[in-house]
Amino acid sequence: MAYQSYVLICGGTACCSGGADNLVTEFASCLEAAGLKDKVQVVKTGCLGFCEQGPIVKILPQGTFYVQVKKDDVKDIVAEHLVKGRVVQRLCYDPEQATDVVAEANIPFYQKQYRIVLRNCGVIDPEKIEDYIARDGYKAIEKVLFEMTPEQVVDEMLKSGLRGRGGAGFPTGMKWKFAQQQPKGQKYMVCNADEGDPGAYMDRSTLEGDPHSILEAMIIAGYAIGATKGFIYIRAEYPLAIHRLQVAISQATELGLLGKDILGSGFDFEIELRFGAGAFVCGEETALLQSIEGNRGMPRPRPPFPAVKGLWGRPTVINNVETLANIPVIINKGADWFSKIGTATTKGTKVFALTGKVNNSGLIEVPMGTTLREIIFDIGGGIRGGHQFKAAQTGGPSGGIIPPQFLDTPIDYESLAKIGSIMGSGGLIVMDETDCVVDIAKFYLDFTVDESCGKCAPCRIGGRKLLNYLNKISEGRGTEQDIADMRSICDAMNKASLCGLGQTASNPVRSTLQYFMDEYLEHINDKKCRSGKCSKLIRYTIDAAKCKGCTMCARKCPAGAIAGSVKVPHVIDPAKCIKCGACEATCKFGAISHG
Amino acid sequence: MSNETEKMTPDLRAFIEEWKDKPGNLIMVLHKVQQTYGYIPREIAIETSELLKVPLAKIYGVVTFYNFFKLQKAGKYIIQVCLGTACYLRGGDDLIKEFERQLGVGVNTTTSDGLFSIEAVRCLGCCGLAPVAVVNGDVHGKLEAKDVAGIIEKYRTLG
Amino acid sequence: MAKLTLDDLRKMRGERQKAMEMRDNSNKDAQVIVGMGTCGIAAGAKEVFTTLIDTLTEKGLTNVLVRQTGCMGLCHAEPTVEVVVADMPTVIYGHVDAATAKEIVEKHVIGKAIVEAKILEKPSVDIVKEK
């Protein structure tokens, strides 16, 4: 016998500290008293999100969402909601929207996420074309191929305000328009699935969860610009995404949704996969095209833009996975619908891979204009292990590091640029006070130096120089002059590099210099790393009062840096110490510490 | 490294035939080569250059440009430690150091018994499980330095 | 399969939509959906998938569909499993291992009670169904 109702009590960290455990016992006893013990199941759950309003109680099947529930509120929920079927208005997040009758909550107004790109991810079986078709799949191509001219399709894109999600935010409709206006002949449509940012996996998840949406979007783009051939350039490191794309392409071809004369419309379009081979620079358009052509992925100056001269010299449009996933929805629901979501300059949603020191890491999609605070604290459930928020990093190696004072900035292309970062492809990495900004800047520079193609000097030499300065500072050998030098290298790289990689590679350094100068100065002047990440700056010391002279540490030390005799407090010679931490781990008396 | 000469397999030859006339085929063919042998053997590169009519120098240029292609045979078990940002923040570099210490070899080198090689890779896309190491496709997540010995032991017993 | 015409495609969509609705609402059917993106598989989704099938076979339940889907986005809680049982609210479980998979079949599918502690919230409204 199924239960009549279910009471879900959030058992996330935040809610538990707010007293969720008491609620479980309180519900049990109130239900017992009301004679509902066998009709209602009380369940503790994982984090339901919306942590700042905790403790949270959700009643199923109605889906009523109660916030800040106290022990005293429980008897009212039982008496009113579970017995009489009336919503307890004062406990709803937004009493305005709560109706008097218990009804299915169709609009979970408390939810921060809105999924356009990820609409089918986690819903359909990605290896079944029928599942995609049932959820309005390939409906947009019906409209496009039979009811719209290519010009109308481009106009619809322009009207929607969709901008490229690969990083720079160029209007998609404009790109299409340039390619459309080129003289007729062979043109190409390319999907950029070379997601190379460390810490970003939005595109991979989309391809794995909903491959057909990308194929459908490419058909639409092909029709709009007059291309009959498409390429998906995908990282070889994504075997599952490649497999699912291959399955999807063969299913679509079999049903005649790809190939000659699609659905009898007279339009031909075919798609071929091309594998990347692990070069970050190939995310840059002109380098990507070189790679498809089978060459080393070196960028070239623009103009001419790929829309004029692209693959094998022919007009080519390159859109990234997330951009494309929006397109069937825009066609189905209309540009007006789409352009109502987001901010004045940036329409629609953004998918982020939320990772780092956050409780609920995950793949999330929010309307543009959502703040970092909402993302990190409401959706992400706050910082792990009760630590402090220190900074957020967007845009990967090309992005900047955002300090706490900008947590309430609504996210769009312009506002992120204003605070020294970029939207990028969607990595969002959260850092706490145990992370060192110099170390983080070093991590990103190390990456870009490794990935620089070496064609132009500002990026090749500038990146290396910056990394040398950062190493010097993190080892305690830095000077204040180094900071001034780094600033001018950053400017030179930004202005003189050939492609986006070089132009943005200095962003992690610029933004940390801007917002965390005090930490750089600490490394330089006080030879101190407050988070203990820069190992050369760590100093191990023995507290003479606690040391029993057991000699354990001296015997463990691989560098012979500890001196002392039995039952006499020992001393560490900092000149010999290699900061391995073996002594601290060995000491049974807690006499050794580092700072 | 290896002194044995690799022979071109019929499967690879057929693949090259199929792709021969497609523009931009070189990288796809090299993927197939690496999939077949685990690296790009010199003798196969020479044969490929003749079949595709592409200079060997260009093949060398492409192979060395892309991180994915290897010129040397890797160990039987390839330990890939993720150094994506999420893994780095949660201790990925400590993992690499521990693997290096326990196996006595550095990144991109193979142990003398030919069993293990270590690679540092950029984001395997399992950030929720950070830090992550992948051994021949098996993902090991939420690792700490103390887990390293167990992982090595597991594959060593498999031989 | 033969190539589709426009009408075929529309017909196919209509039929599949009905089939999906039936699957959600019909009195006999239950569905267990396992998130199988790279992340889920890395966290053990394949083992969960086989345990679900094995347990259902063991119990002689033939009217339950076990199927895969992509990433639900709840990376911190992988592997994730969604359970749709007639007359019960649909719920998502996180951190599912073989033991929980067994529990899901025994307690949720058969016993019609929700399994403790592992429920998560669906991250967003469904825009395809939204009018």
Side-chain angles (χ1 to χ4, degrees):
Chain A
M1 179 54 208
Y3 291 95
Q4 222 169 50
S5 308
Y6 303 84
V7 176
L8 307 186
I9 299 166
C10 180
T13 327
C15 287
C16 277
S17 61
D21 278 327
N22 293 335
L23 297 181
V24 178
T25 42
E26 187 65 14
F27 263 108
S29 62
C30 286
L31 286 168
E32 172 104 58
L36 284 174
K37 206 179 98 185
D38 299 324
K39 299 262 169 67
V40 179
Q41 189 190 7
V42 181
V43 188
K44 211 165 126 183
T45 72
C47 180
L48 297 173
F50 212 49
C51 306
E52 77 189 68
Q53 292 289 328
I56 304 242
V57 171
K58 192 175 175 184
I59 312 287
L60 293 178
Q62 298 88 359
T64 315
F65 203 80
Y66 291 125
V67 297
Q68 294 183 2
V69 180
K70 312 252 174 344
K71 198 176 162 201
D72 292 341
D73 299 323
V74 171
K75 58 177 187 315
D76 294 341
I77 297 178
V78 172
E80 283 296 304
H81 190 136
L82 295 168
V83 176
K84 294 184 194 149
R86 287 197 297 233
V87 169
V88 184
Q89 304 244 356
R90 73 183 150 89
L91 296 174
C92 292
Y93 175 59
D94 185 354
E96 293 283 302
Q97 295 201 29
T99 46
D100 198 36
V101 241
V102 176
E104 178 94 24
N106 288 319
I107 310 148
F109 46 85
Y110 51 86
Q111 281 185 327
K112 304 275 180 187
Q113 291 202 55
Y114 193 67
R115 301 186 140 205
I116 297 175
V117 173
L118 302 175
R119 62 193 176 280
N120 289 325
C121 290
V123 180
I124 64 168
D125 182 337
E127 295 184 30
K128 288 210 171 101
I129 192 171
E130 302 87 349
D131 275 22
Y132 179 69
I133 289 175
R135 289 179 53 84
D136 291 348
Y138 293 109
K139 199 175 176 179
I141 62 166
E142 290 178 11
K143 195 161 160 191
V144 167
L145 298 182
F146 293 93
E147 294 165 26
M148 294 170 87
T149 63
E151 289 74 21
Q152 285 172 324
V153 178
V154 169
D155 280 347
E156 192 75 359
M157 279 306 125
L158 285 170
K159 230 168 70 189
S160 74
L162 177 66
R163 296 168 68 177
R165 299 291 191 250
F170 191 80
T172 307
M174 293 281 271
K175 235 186 204 180
W176 289 18
K177 197 175 181 134
F178 290 144
Q180 187 188 52
Q181 286 167 342
Q182 297 306 307
K184 281 205 169 48
Q186 182 68 60
K187 296 180 188 176
Y188 295 102
M189 170 65 214
V190 173
C191 167
N192 181 353
D194 187 54
E195 187 174 46
D197 276 17
Y201 53 99
M202 300 72 54
D203 295 349
R204 194 207 65 209
S205 297
T206 309
L207 293 167
E208 284 177 6
D210 193 14
H212 284 285
S213 68
I214 304 304
L215 305 188
E216 186 177 8
M218 287 179 74
I219 300 170
I220 296 168
Y223 176 78
I225 64 170
T228 53
K229 172 106 193 166
F231 289 97
I232 301 177
Y233 182 81
I234 181 167
R235 289 181 79 189
E237 291 90 334
Y238 284 176
L240 187 65
I242 291 174
H243 167 73
R244 292 200 171 143
L245 275 172
Q246 283 166 338
V247 170
I249 290 174
S250 76
Q251 287 173 340
T253 310
E254 204 178 319
L255 291 181
L257 295 165
L258 280 175
K260 295 260 174 248
D261 192 17
I262 295 170
L263 294 171
S265 64
F267 178 65
D268 305 338
F269 194 73
E270 54 168 9
I271 295 177
E272 205 177 283
L273 294 186
R274 287 298 169 98
F275 301 155
F280 177 65
V281 71
C282 289
E284 201 277 343
E285 290 189 337
T286 59
L288 183 151
L289 297 177
Q290 283 295 320
S291 188
I292 294 183
E293 291 180 16
N295 305 318
R296 289 164 71 101
M298 308 266 240
R300 62 160 174 79
R302 297 179 299 183
F305 287 92
V308 179
K309 248 183 153 119
L311 264 185
W312 295 291
R314 306 300 311 165
T316 303
V317 162
I318 304 154
N319 287 137
N320 101 318
V321 171
E322 189 182 337
T323 314
L324 289 172
N326 278 295
I327 288 166
V329 185
I330 294 176
I331 299 288
N332 282 334
K333 295 194 175 243
D336 290 339
W337 173 85
F338 187 82
S339 63
K340 285 199 186 87
I341 305 161
T343 67
T345 60
T346 314
K347 303 302 179 191
T349 59
K350 181 78 196 86
V351 181
F352 287 103
L354 178 62
T355 61
K357 305 293 178 63
V358 69
N359 273 316
N360 303 339
S361 54
L363 191 71
I364 62 158
E365 181 170 353
V366 289
M368 294 286 186
T370 306
T371 66
L372 278 173
R373 188 187 301 282
E374 290 171 294
I375 293 174
I376 296 168
F377 290 91
D378 292 343
I379 300 171
I383 312 298
R384 281 156 70 96
H387 286 285
Q388 286 295 309
F389 172 80
K390 178 173 187 170
Q393 209 275 353
T394 63
S398 312
I401 288 161
I402 304 168
Q405 63 261 40
F406 297 118
L407 268 176
D408 293 309
T409 308
I411 289 181
D412 66 18
Y413 291 100
E414 281 65 29
S415 64
L416 282 177
K418 215 183 289 164
I419 57 176
S421 190
I422 62 165
M423 181 82 79
S425 58
L428 176 50
I429 289 139
V430 179
M431 299 166 194
D432 65 18
E433 80 281 1
T434 67
D435 296 311
C436 167
V437 290
V438 179
D439 187 58
I440 297 294
K442 226 172 76 180
F443 169 80
Y444 282 118
L445 251 294
D446 194 48
F447 179 88
T448 35
V449 165
D450 199 34
E451 292 294 341
S452 169
C453 79
K455 184 169 179 173
C456 72
C459 172
R460 182 180 72 240
I461 300 170
R464 170 59 67 187
K465 288 282 277 181
L466 276 185
L467 182 59
N468 289 347
Y469 279 121
L470 288 168
N471 278 326
K472 199 175 155 199
I473 292 171
S474 74
E475 288 169 6
R477 296 181 289 114
T479 63
E480 290 194 26
Q481 180 58 43
D482 293 345
I483 302 254
D485 292 351
M486 281 163 71
R487 282 212 167 102
S488 68
I489 295 173
C490 286
D491 283 343
M493 285 176 77
N494 181 244
K495 290 200 183 89
S497 294
L498 182 61
C499 81
L501 189 151
Q503 287 158 11
T504 57
S506 61
N507 279 348
V509 177
R510 293 160 83 95
S511 59
T512 46
L513 282 174
Q514 187 176 354
Y515 300 122
F516 295 95
M517 185 51 120
D518 51 336
E519 274 187 55
Y520 275 93
L521 291 176
E522 258 174 35
H523 281 75
I524 291 170
N525 297 329
D526 311 336
K527 313 290 176 211
K528 189 168 171 272
C529 172
R530 60 171 89 165
S531 53
K533 271 276 150 76
C534 297
S535 59
K536 286 266 167 69
L537 299 182
I538 299 174
R539 241 162 222 276
Y540 282 87
T541 47
I542 299 177
D543 183 348
K546 286 186 188 160
C547 178
K548 308 276 191 230
C550 73
T551 74
M552 274 301 281
C553 58
R555 276 185 278 155
K556 273 274 171 184
C557 177
I562 304 181
S565 38
V566 184
K567 298 200 175 162
V568 179
H570 285 44
V571 185
I572 299 171
D573 179 358
K576 285 189 190 160
C577 174
I578 56 164
K579 345 269 182 187
C580 68
C583 53
E584 189 179 2
T586 306
C587 182
K588 292 195 186 104
F589 311 101
I592 305 179
S593 59
H594 69 271
Chain B
M1 285 288 289
S2 76
N3 293 321
E4 53 195 301
T5 340
E6 305 278 9
K7 294 265 179 302
M8 186 171 278
T9 62
D11 185 38
L12 175 59
R13 193 178 294 277
F15 186 88
I16 294 179
E17 277 306 316
E18 184 198 329
W19 278 79
K20 212 169 137 181
D21 298 321
K22 291 196 189 179
N25 49 18
L26 182 56
I27 290 174
M28 296 306 276
V29 169
L30 290 173
H31 271 295
K32 184 72 183 177
V33 173
Q34 181 149 313
Q35 196 194 334
T36 311
Y37 305 97
Y39 69 115
I40 313 281
R42 187 179 164 81
E43 51 278 14
I44 301 294
I46 293 171
E47 222 177 320
T48 306
S49 126
E50 286 159 4
L51 288 171
L52 290 179
K53 302 201 170 36
V54 170
L56 187 61
K58 174 160 181 189
I59 294 184
Y60 185 75
V62 167
V63 168
T64 50
F65 184 83
Y66 295 98
N67 293 328
F68 197 80
F69 297 127
K70 298 187 196 82
L71 284 166
Q72 284 180 348
K73 197 168 188 139
K76 184 171 177 198
Y77 297 106
I78 303 171
I79 301 169
Q80 298 177 305
V81 183
C82 181
L83 278 191
T85 318
C87 286
Y88 179 78
L89 286 180
R90 290 195 189 167
D93 58 334
D94 295 337
L95 280 184
I96 292 226
K97 281 185 203 137
E98 190 61 17
F99 273 112
E100 288 179 335
R101 200 178 66 79
Q102 297 217 7
L103 292 171
V105 290
V107 165
N108 294 331
T109 38
T110 307
T111 51
S112 53
D113 57 6
L115 215 48
F116 295 103
S117 43
I118 310 175
E119 289 177 7
V121 294
R122 305 286 190 192
C123 201
L124 294 158
C126 324
C127 307
L129 302 173
V132 168
V134 176
V135 185
N136 288 18
D138 290 342
V139 180
H140 301 266
K142 300 192 176 161
L143 291 177
E144 289 176 45
K146 65 175 170 50
D147 303 321
V148 165
I151 293 177
I152 295 174
E153 203 42 48
K154 183 182 155 194
Y155 293 98
R156 191 162 273 153
T157 8
L158 287 174
Chain C
M1 236 181 280
K3 300 214 183 306
L4 300 180
T5 63
L6 187 55
D7 287 339
D8 294 340
L9 177 63
R10 286 182 176 151
K11 211 172 119 208
M12 186 168 172
R13 182 175 301 113
E15 281 164 9
R16 288 300 297 184
Q17 269 164 355
K18 241 184 255 160
M20 274 191 140
E21 298 277 307
M22 294 271 284
R23 220 156 56 182
D24 289 349
N25 298 327
S26 137
N27 282 329
K28 305 188 270 190
D29 276 354
Q31 252 196 101
V32 185
I33 307 157
V34 185
M36 291 178 85
T38 297
C39 226
I41 292 173
K46 277 188 177 152
E47 197 196 351
V48 168
F49 199 84
T50 38
T51 312
L52 285 167
I53 304 238
D54 290 349
T55 318
L56 288 166
T57 322
E58 200 180 290
K59 306 276 174 198
L61 293 177
T62 49
N63 55 349
V64 181
L65 176 73
V66 182
R67 67 173 181 93
Q68 66 165 356
T69 187
C71 167
M72 300 190 201
L74 304 160
C75 310
H76 62 100
E78 292 289 355
T80 50
V81 169
E82 185 173 350
V83 186
V84 189
V85 173
D87 300 331
M88 276 180 80
T90 299
V91 287
I92 296 174
Y93 294 108
H95 298 291
V96 178
D97 52 14
T100 322
K102 238 175 130 80
E103 219 182 330
I104 287 174
V105 174
E106 288 167 356
K107 200 171 168 191
H108 191 139
V109 178
I110 301 174
K112 309 261 179 194
I114 290 173
V115 180
E116 195 81 14
K118 304 209 172 184
I119 298 185
L120 298 164
E121 184 79 327
K122 196 144 205 155
S124 136
V125 291
D126 186 345
I127 64 149
V128 177
K129 287 188 179 163
E130 196 183 56
K131 287 298 160 215

